[in-house]
Amino acid sequence: MQPTSANIPNHVAIIMDGNGRWAKQRGLPRIEGHRRGVETVRTIIDAARDLGIRYLTLYAFSAENWQRPPDEVSALMGLLEYFLRRETKVLVKNRVRLHVIGRSEELPAGPRKELQHAIAATRHFTDWNLVLALNYGSRTELADAARAYAAAVAAGREQLGETTWTSFSRYLYTAALPDPDLLIRTSGETRLSNFLLIQCAYAEMIFSPVLWPDFAKADLAAAVEEYQRRERRFGLTGEQLKSGVNPRAAATP
Ligand code: IPE
Ligand code: IPE
Ligand code: MG
């Protein structure tokens, strides 16, 4: 079944999980799963655009993933560099703007340079947005935001007594992005693993059993369709929503 074109989630965030298990099931090294996972990334970027999803965020490397075996970490960094080098012209052709969230300045020089190049080459586009979460962790993001906010208070650019979610959230990595409407995690795991904890306050969550290398356009469409069957209440009652009260107007100040 295809989702209806009305009520497409504006922002879909995906925890791409299961590459290692996909490889293990086939007796292959974990890196083969990551290689196949990169092909899925290309498919899903196109699929999201076809469905009308304007923001797609992909959790590609967590702040905790540095603790994996060094050869896996360096293979992942190599794949990131390869993906960016190959994909930048496709993003330009399709008018997709690339963003990054996470401490990308700590990435190795190779992928970091490709990333800077891709971000610069796509910065004028507005309609479609691809956000890569790289060296990302929500707790680090909050600590970084708190430090930047405190510095702004000390410099007189913010007033401590007037702190609101709106003023503080401008210091998050996601300041320029809308909150996710739909969060998908593949591979059957039902945890957030330090991903967009604050931004997903009201996101709908869908946990798919499919391993990331096998995740197809039809799986994304099915998740969107399930999203469309849900009632997002944002703290209001179902009756209020039916009578036309706008829930977003009641969101956190
Ligand atoms: C997700 O797949 C990719 C990254 C975390 C980089 P995993 O590598 O976590 O795959 P599993 O969970 O071991 O199957
Ligand atoms: C989360 O997956 C990180 C990414 C998908 C990049 P993990 O596989 O690292 O998460 P845990 O360890 O199972 O929680
Ligand atoms: Mg995993």
Side-chain angles (χ1 to χ4, degrees):
M1 205 184 202
Q2 273 294 314
T4 57
S5 56
N7 193 24
I8 291 290
N10 184 45
H11 185 172
V12 175
I14 306 183
I15 303 176
M16 310 184 287
D17 200 11
N19 294 349
R21 278 163 284 168
W22 183 93
K24 195 171 174 200
Q25 282 175 1
R26 289 161 179 76
L28 298 169
R30 292 178 58 85
I31 183 63
E32 279 308 315
H34 296 312
R35 252 187 221 125
R36 277 295 296 261
V38 171
E39 298 314 312
T40 304
V41 168
R42 304 181 76 205
T43 309
I44 294 303
I45 293 170
D46 286 347
R49 246 177 71 253
D50 288 349
L51 287 166
I53 296 163
R54 291 192 55 227
Y55 289 84
L56 176 69
T57 296
L58 300 176
Y59 201 8
F61 193 84
S62 76
E64 290 75 23
N65 287 150
W66 296 111
Q67 298 167 65
R68 291 192 177 194
D71 59 339
E72 181 167 345
V73 171
S74 64
L76 282 166
M77 291 300 143
L79 276 176
L80 173 63
E81 188 176 345
Y82 158 80
F83 167 80
L84 290 166
R85 194 175 310 130
R86 194 177 62 163
E87 222 50 28
T88 301
K89 42 189 176 303
V90 181
L91 295 176
V92 170
K93 178 172 148 278
N94 293 332
R95 308 184 66 77
V96 180
R97 181 172 179 178
L98 181 71
H99 309 252
V100 66
I101 54 173
R103 284 192 175 169
S104 59
E105 67 279 9
E106 292 173 358
L107 294 172
R112 201 175 64 235
K113 279 188 194 130
E114 294 295 336
L115 195 61
Q116 284 162 351
H117 170 243
I119 289 170
T122 61
R123 71 178 180 280
H124 301 300
F125 302 135
T126 50
D127 289 352
W128 306 105
N129 297 273
L130 171 66
V131 186
L132 292 181
L134 292 167
N135 190 17
Y136 177 86
S138 278
R139 289 178 170 179
T140 310
E141 176 181 34
L142 272 184
D144 286 349
R147 196 178 311 111
Y149 192 77
V153 169
R157 292 193 305 275
E158 300 287 352
Q159 301 306 311
L160 192 57
E162 288 165 24
T163 304
T164 59
W165 174 244
T166 309
S167 66
F168 178 72
S169 61
R170 284 191 214 112
Y171 293 81
L172 297 171
Y173 306 149
T174 51
L177 307 170
D179 283 344
D181 300 291
L182 169 60
L183 176 89
I184 300 170
R185 183 170 187 147
T186 62
S187 87
E189 305 296 353
T190 48
R191 55 178 169 264
L192 294 176
S193 302
N194 205 11
F195 186 51
L196 298 177
L197 301 183
I198 288 277
Q199 294 85 347
C200 284
Y202 274 102
E204 293 298 324
M205 300 198 185
I206 291 180
F207 298 99
S208 164
V210 177
L211 303 176
W212 179 250
D214 290 330
F215 197 75
K217 181 177 181 179
D219 298 305
L220 180 66
V224 169
E225 212 234 326
E226 182 178 339
Y227 165 89
Q228 292 178 332
R229 283 198 298 268
R230 296 187 184 176
E231 181 179 62
R232 301 181 75 193
R233 289 195 285 274
F234 298 94
L236 306 189
T237 66
E239 289 70 26
Q240 281 177 300
L241 292 174
K242 281 185 197 74
S243 72
V245 178
N246 176 7
R248 283 168 202 280
T252 318

